Amino acid sequence: MKIYNTLTGVKEDFVPMEAGKVKMYVCGPTVYDYIHIGNARPYVIFDTVRRYMEYRGLEVNYVQNFTDVDDKIINKAIKEGVDSSVISERYIAEALKDAEGLNVEPATVNPKVTEEMPEIIEMIQTLIDKGYAYEVDGSVFYDTKAFDGYGKLSGKNIDELEAGARIEVDTSKRSPMDFVLWKPKKPGEPAWSSPWGEGRPGWHIECSVMAKKYLGNTIDIHAGGEDLIFPHHENEIAQSEAANGVQFARYWMHNGFINVNNEKMSKSKGNFFTLRDIVAEVPYDVVRFFILSGHYRSPINFSRELMQAAGNGLDRIKSCAKRLDFLLENSDGALTEQESVTADESKKFRQRFEAAMDDDFNTANAVTAIFDLVKFANSKVDEGSSRGLVSTVKDELESLCGILGIRLDKKKADIDVEKIESLIEERTAAKKNKDYARADEIRQQLSDMGILIEDTRAGVRWSVM
Ligand SMILES: [Zn+2]
């Protein structure tokens, strides 16, 4: 299995530190709103990396954080007149619903900044003690010049960076490249006590601390979006390697940018979408399939036409599976001699699939192998086939799709809209009568049917997972 390592700029054989076990850290979202499609891509990509490693027999310890202390969260809390934890808890719950909708396996642990404060303070103190950080009037900054390897991930040169940096109003820093580890409290903000007074951590320190606490000083894989390479991941390396004295992450994986209608997604351009905006139009599984149809390191372009094409592609796979299901119910007998040749041929697609995935998780080629298996099934399996052949081909198709987290069992066409709506009505009535146990039971029943419900101001909205 080869991984393109951003740190070395080449594809390398993946060899975990401990045989059979993988320590993987993925940067998670800042929870001030529903996750956007820029968050959905790494969710799906790195979940697929994990699933493929598990398929290859590796045990993956998968850590993904939630940034629950941030200016955006605080600003939203002030606007709504609530505590910032109300905002972060709300959007953590929503992010988890979206992850479930995308069929992302739950992380081994989802640490939150607010719950890691003692460890954060401890690492900042270590950095001060070792001469990599300094305090000025209640702020603590990382001294980038003290760390020799600064710039090694992004390939940036610190002197050039410094020359190009804007003169900042904040003159308490020794260099404009230094970054904040601890900020002093401002009125109305959440704050924690520390040796440097009341305040809160800067953004970068949390990932260094959580990776160390849940995975150890050196981890196998660190992953995230390409936009995080600089400064976030560069700063994580500076913090972790200075504090721990050993290499931080052995393989760095980054997914490419997201464009919308061929333009970079941004709030100012009005082409900024949350995942909920998208799943109001297409089911979650189409979004997942769409993301996997491209190579994870290439930019991906969201447009209605491309989503539609992905939906059509997924439908082709699902109708093949449905047809095989039907044939399975109506066939019997073991493989004939001639059929065993066909059965063997059907297993060749798995070799192509594995070769693609072993080559830096080329899901685009893996999906092509699945499409070719569909074509093969459509031409070689029919009413005259034995049960033995039908089940061999069907198992292959289901298994390959399953490795990519694509479920074939929940089909939109099979959805009983009337039943769903009557269950939702019953749940609304149960809530009105304060029968929360029944309301939860119905939510679970819907979830088992593959239906995700969401309570909005305008009423209950439902979508297909
Ligand atoms: Zn991070």
Side-chain angles (χ1 to χ4, degrees), residues 127 166 179 194 291 370 441:
L127 289 169
R166 269 187 295 168
F179 57 90
S194 81
I291 290 172
I370 292 176
E441 213 173 271

Side-chain angles (χ1 to χ4, degrees), residues 269-280:
K269 280 187 186 142
N271 66 352
F272 185 90
F273 293 103
T274 66
L275 180 57
R276 296 295 167 96
D277 296 329
I278 307 284
V279 297

Side-chain angles (χ1 to χ4, degrees), residues 125-177:
Q125 188 62 54
T126 303
L127 289 169
I128 295 175
D129 294 345
K130 290 191 165 185
Y132 290 99
Y134 54 93
E135 192 224 331
V136 186
D137 301 332
S139 292
V140 180
F141 297 104
Y142 189 96
D143 184 356
T144 44
K145 288 222 169 110
F147 181 67
D148 277 344
Y150 197 78
K152 67 180 172 185
L153 180 71
S154 55
K156 292 184 192 290
N157 173 298
I158 191 161
D159 294 323
E160 282 169 22
L161 279 172
E162 197 175 48
R166 269 187 295 168
I167 309 293
E168 288 184 55
V169 191
D170 184 357
T171 49
S172 49
K173 285 202 247 176
R174 289 180 194 162
S175 155
M177 293 320 300

Side-chain angles (χ1 to χ4, degrees), residues 409-421:
D409 49 345
K410 281 162 191 150
K411 289 164 283 259
K412 197 160 195 182
D414 291 350
I415 284 166
D416 185 345
V417 175
E418 243 170 73
K419 184 171 181 201
I420 292 165
E421 289 184 342

